Structure formats: C-alpha cells, structure tokens
C-alpha cells in the first residue's frame, strides 16, 4: 500500500517522469453524507483535477457527492464525462450540464465503459456501490486485465477501517502484500497526484 511518503523512495524517484493520467474514474456516493468537511474536500478535489486538465469520469449523477464532484469540476473549468444506465437516467438522476453522458443498458456496462474511458481510478467517500466499483477495478488490476493505478482518497479518515481490513487479509493469507503495496492511499489531493506520477504496476496475481 503506497501512502505519503512513498515507501520506496528510490523506485518513486525512478518513476517520477510518469505523466499524470489524462482521465480518472472517480467512485463516490450518491448521498452527501454526514460531514460538511468531506463535502468541502470533494469540491476541492474536483477543482484540483480541473486545474490539472484531468477529465473526471464518473457515474453521471446530479445527487450526493457525485453531483458535488461534477459541479465543482465544471465550475473550475474542467471536463466531466458521466456514464449511467438508462434506468437511472429515466429516474431523472442524470446530471444535465456535464460535457458528455454515456447512456448504457446495465450497471455492468457502466463500470466497463468507465474503465475504458479512464487512465486511473480513485474512490472517494461513499457507500456499498462505491466499494463495489473500487474492488472490481482493483481486482481487475491484480488479474492483469488493466495496468492502471487504483487509489483511495482517505478524506477525513473515511477509509481507515477498510485499510485495516485489507491489512488483515494480508496477515491471513488472502491478499498478496505486493497488491496492497500497489494500492495508492492518500490523505489529500496533492499526495494522490504525487503518487499517481510515480506509480508502477505490481506483478499480476498468477505470475
């Protein structure tokens, strides 16, 4: 698990010329949550990606932290691409002001399309859907189905319990240490972007 500071300074320095991803798939909640501080940091995250010229790829919603992320990115002049199943569009949950909305048939297609459009993945605070999207993207990387960085933005300690659980999986022999080491965990946007610029993919699971 990588975190601030990078656990392998030599490796991080060697890979420092890696360009930032041009697009990031962001998984986050369709609810706002209980913490105003989290909302403010999600707004700041969207603005920071816009300032870096990084396209936000997300679930296409106008509600919750999803809507907060999209609005803050657009306000800062960034590009936002949404992917949403038609059933949710029909429920009037789609954000109507984003740059592009891909309407797909199923949730499975949604995740696959987001993965195709993005060069990296990050999970912000959210619920079961956010976790499901995060774990699928991370598992795909472990299996060698992609070589894109997967990360947790640990806003206000929101992912602390999850990280502890993952460490327990390693201790219990269910998760390889190298895959946990390959997961980026950052406390803030600057730390996340720094680690994205020095990330290298770990060895895949079955090699």
């Amino acid at each position: 698990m990588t975190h601030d500071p990078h656990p392998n300074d030599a490796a991080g320095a060697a890979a420092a010329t890696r360009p930032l991803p041009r697009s990031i798939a962001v998984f986050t909640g369709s609810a706002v949550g209980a913490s105003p501080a989290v909302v403010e940091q999600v707004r700041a995250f969207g603005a920071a990606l816009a300032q870096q010229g990084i396209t936000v790829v997300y679930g296409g919603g106008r509600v919750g932290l999803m809507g907060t992320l999209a609005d803050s990115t657009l306000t800062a002049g960034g590009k936002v691409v949404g992917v949403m199943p038609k059933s949710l569009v029909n429920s009037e949950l789609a954000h109507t002001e984003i740059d592009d909305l891909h309407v797909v048939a199923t949730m499975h297609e949604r995740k696959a399309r987001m993965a195709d459009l993005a060069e990296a993945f990050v999970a912000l605070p959210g619920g079961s859907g956010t976790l499901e999207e995060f774990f699928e993207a991370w598992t795909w990387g472990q299996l060698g189905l992609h070589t894109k960085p997967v990360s947790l933005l640990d806003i206000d300690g929101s992912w602390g319990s999850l990280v502890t659980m993952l460490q327990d999986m390693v201790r219990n022999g269910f998760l390889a240490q190298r895959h946990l080491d390959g997961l980026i965990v950052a406390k803030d946007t600057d730390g996340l972007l720094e680690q994205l610029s020095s990330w290298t993919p770990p060895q895949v699971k079955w090699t």
Side-chain angles (χ1 to χ4, degrees), residues 83-138:
V83 185
M84 182 173 278
K86 184 172 176 56
S87 61
L88 294 182
V89 174
N90 291 343
S91 299
E92 300 183 351
L93 295 175
H95 199 305
T96 59
E97 298 179 9
I98 60 178
D99 297 280
D100 193 10
L101 179 66
H102 295 241
V103 179
V104 296
T106 67
M107 294 292 284
H108 294 292
E109 289 182 47
R110 178 197 228 177
K111 292 180 291 182
R113 182 71 58 85
M114 289 176 69
D116 288 341
L117 292 170
E119 295 184 355
F121 307 88
V122 60
L124 276 57
S128 58
T130 300
L131 284 173
E132 189 263 344
E133 292 169 325
F134 159 73
F135 275 114
E136 182 165 276
W138 190 34

Side-chain angles (χ1 to χ4, degrees), residues 13-177:
T17 57
R18 179 186 179 96
L20 286 172
R22 293 168 295 181
S23 57
I24 296 180
V26 183
F27 310 131
T28 192
S30 58
V32 173
S35 172
V38 168
V39 174
E40 287 305 312
Q41 290 188 59
V42 169
R43 287 197 181 104
F45 178 70
L49 294 189
Q51 291 164 7
Q52 291 290 336
I54 298 172
T55 296
V56 169
V57 179
Y58 84 123
R62 58 175 175 78
V63 296
L65 292 181
M66 294 172 65
T68 298
L69 171 72
D71 290 340
S72 62
T73 305
L74 292 170
T75 298
K79 182 176 180 180
V80 180
V81 176
V83 185
M84 182 173 278
K86 184 172 176 56
S87 61
L88 294 182
V89 174
N90 291 343
S91 299
E92 300 183 351
L93 295 175
H95 199 305
T96 59
E97 298 179 9
I98 60 178
D99 297 280
D100 193 10
L101 179 66
H102 295 241
V103 179
V104 296
T106 67
M107 294 292 284
H108 294 292
E109 289 182 47
R110 178 197 228 177
K111 292 180 291 182
R113 182 71 58 85
M114 289 176 69
D116 288 341
L117 292 170
E119 295 184 355
F121 307 88
V122 60
L124 276 57
S128 58
T130 300
L131 284 173
E132 189 263 344
E133 292 169 325
F134 159 73
F135 275 114
E136 182 165 276
W138 190 34
T139 300
W140 286 356
Q142 293 175 38
L143 296 174
L145 301 180
H146 68 73
T147 55
K148 302 173 183 180
V150 180
S151 55
L152 295 168
L153 188 57
D154 190 26
I155 297 175
D156 204 25
S158 55
W159 295 125
S161 296
L162 175 60
V163 171
T164 297
M165 183 187 74
L166 298 177
Q167 292 168 339
D168 287 342
M169 288 181 179
V170 172
R171 282 192 289 270
N172 292 322
F174 293 110
L175 177 66
Q177 183 66 55

